[in-house]
Structures are given as structure tokens and as C-alpha cells.
Amino acid sequence: MIKCEEAISRLKTYLNDDFDLKLWQEYMDGIIKDSSKLLLDETKGYDFDKQCLPIIQRALDDDRLCQRILDNYLEITADLDDKLISFFKRSVDVKIILYLGLCNGAGWALDLDDEHYILLGIEKIIELDWGDKPHLIDLIYHELGHIYQDQYGAKVDKEFRDKADALL
């Protein structure tokens, strides 16, 4: 079963107008237990203050754009599980989360503690200008394809991509 949630509305609870890494870690660990360390480790090798922080800060500064992306995300994912079941006759077991990341990627399919997640980083979606419906749909289905392939095997990967195009 696909479960979709957004963690964007929780941002103001943890963060003010300026980014604070310790508060972000609490925010992220509240979404997925102990996940902040993994995401923080992924930023090693980057000059965080120069390469990541301006992108993150832009997301924090643009409430209207974040709201537009959130609205599109909620509309796209509203009946996503039903669409997959009706079209493929099966679903995937995944939790899709729209969140503020550390520039880890616009989309990231991963397994943590035997659970499948798709993380959609709003800061990267903004940077890449992928917040409109067509780009967001492509991103979500691309990441779903990774999970679908992982759960049902490599042979169904092409089937998923071909059929997913028809759902757009």
C-alpha cells in the first residue's frame, strides 16, 4: 500500500526563517526515526554552507512556491494507490514523503529498517523547477518504478515504465 504524507507543514514548527541544522535533525528524525544521520552523511564532500544552504534557504523563504508544490503533490498522490492497483492489479508498499532535505536529491527511493520510502526534497524540486504537475508526476512515477522493481523484480521494470506513461 502506498502511504503519502507531507512534512512541509511541519517546517515552521521546527524551523524559523533561518535554517538551523539541529532543529532540522529533530524535524527529520520526527518524520523517519534516525534518518537525519543518513541524510547528513550524504552531504559529506560538499561545502554545505556554499552549495546546500542557499538552496535550502530559498525553500524556506518562498512560502508561495512551497505551497504550490505541496498542493500539486497532494493532488497527484490523492488516489495514487488506487490508480496503481487498477492499472497494474497490484500496489507497492512504500511511504512517499515530501520534506525539506539537505539537497540529497529531488527524489530518492530507499529502504530503512525494512521499510520502503520515497523522499521528495522540496528544496531540490524548487532548484530544478520541477514543482509543476508534469515534472512532479514524472518524478514520483520514476521513484515508484524503483520501488516497484525492487518489490516485483527486474522483469517488470519495463512494464511499469510503459504502463506508468499511460497514467500521466
Side-chain angles (χ1 to χ4, degrees), residues 20-111:
D20 180 313
L21 186 59
K22 289 197 183 298
L23 290 175
W24 178 87
Q25 288 174 295
E26 289 177 30
Y27 159 80
M28 195 65 224
D29 288 337
I31 299 166
I32 304 172
K33 186 178 180 207
D34 300 326
S35 62
S36 66
K37 182 179 178 347
L38 170 69
L39 296 170
L40 193 54
D41 286 348
E42 288 290 318
T43 66
K44 289 184 178 164
Y46 293 100
D47 183 332
F48 185 82
D49 289 341
K50 288 183 181 176
Q51 293 177 286
C52 301
L53 193 55
I55 296 166
I56 295 167
Q57 195 61 52
R58 180 174 176 217
L60 289 172
D61 291 343
D62 199 334
D63 289 338
R64 269 189 22 243
L65 185 55
C66 285
Q67 187 62 52
R68 191 187 99 215
I69 293 169
L70 173 59
D71 292 344
N72 288 339
Y73 168 80
L74 292 173
E75 185 177 327
I76 292 164
T77 60
D79 59 353
L80 191 55
D81 199 47
D82 293 337
K83 282 182 184 176
L84 286 181
I85 291 170
S86 69
F87 207 75
F88 293 104
K89 307 302 181 230
R90 55 185 162 191
S91 183
V92 292
D93 184 23
V94 65
K95 184 181 269 187
I96 304 173
I97 302 170
L98 180 66
Y99 77 114
L100 178 74
L102 299 177
C103 297
N104 305 101
W108 190 8
L110 72 152
D111 295 334

